[in-house]
Amino acid sequence: IVPVAKPAAAPVVQYQSLEIWAPENGESFFGADATVSVRLRSEPSLVSSDRLLLFLDGKLVEGAEDAYEHTLSNLERGAHSVTATILDNQGNEKIRSEPRVFHIKQPTTIAPRAVGPKVKPPPKPTPR
């Protein structure tokens, strides 16, 4: 009887780190059409049996699976948070990044008010 060799199991990778290195924490982007480039890195690199997912404000970013670079657009004004996670082939979380917060700001449509030392006060009404 010849012993049957078992197929080698895929090596289990322990990730040392998963981080978002762009955008900067607290970075601001201006304009309704602002795009935000999100860049990730892991140590070691993602293995083929695992999945890398990106979340924006707690919701999965569609089409962002297994990519280290993403471009986010059509974001509403305010603060947003991105996080990334690596899952094994059973869907168990192996590692999660620290959240990264950034801000979308709209340019103001209010005309700037004149302020400063050269601004003259309005004329005082003259009594009749």
Side-chain angles (χ1 to χ4, degrees):
I1 297 177
V2 177
V4 177
K6 291 183 181 176
V12 175
V13 173
Q14 285 288 17
Y15 294 94
Q16 305 304 312
S17 67
L18 175 61
E19 68 176 331
I20 299 168
W21 60 278
E24 292 288 325
N25 207 30
E27 189 171 349
S28 293
F29 299 87
F30 294 89
D33 57 352
T35 58
V36 178
S37 293
V38 178
R39 294 174 186 238
L40 312 166
R41 62 180 156 216
S42 67
E43 185 59 44
S45 294
L46 189 69
V47 296
S48 62
S49 60
D50 292 341
R51 293 173 35 215
L52 172 62
L53 303 176
L54 180 69
F55 294 87
L56 173 66
D57 300 329
K59 296 184 179 115
L60 179 64
V61 176
E62 295 295 327
E65 197 169 308
D66 300 338
Y68 281 95
E69 293 188 23
H70 308 279
T71 301
L72 304 176
S73 59
N74 299 321
L75 298 172
E76 293 184 11
R77 186 175 82 191
H80 296 279
S81 173
V82 287
T83 53
T85 185
I86 294 178
L87 306 178
D88 66 14
N89 57 1
Q90 277 91 39
N92 300 313
E93 185 175 298
K94 292 179 127 182
I95 190 168
R96 176 180 293 263
S97 72
E98 289 294 317
R100 204 37 93 88
V101 176
F102 62 91
H103 306 275
I104 300 293
K105 297 183 177 183
Q106 302 296 334
T108 183
T109 57
I110 300 169
R113 292 186 300 143
V115 294
K118 295 191 178 202
V119 176
K120 294 181 182 164
K124 294 192 189 280
T126 54
R128 293 186 183 189

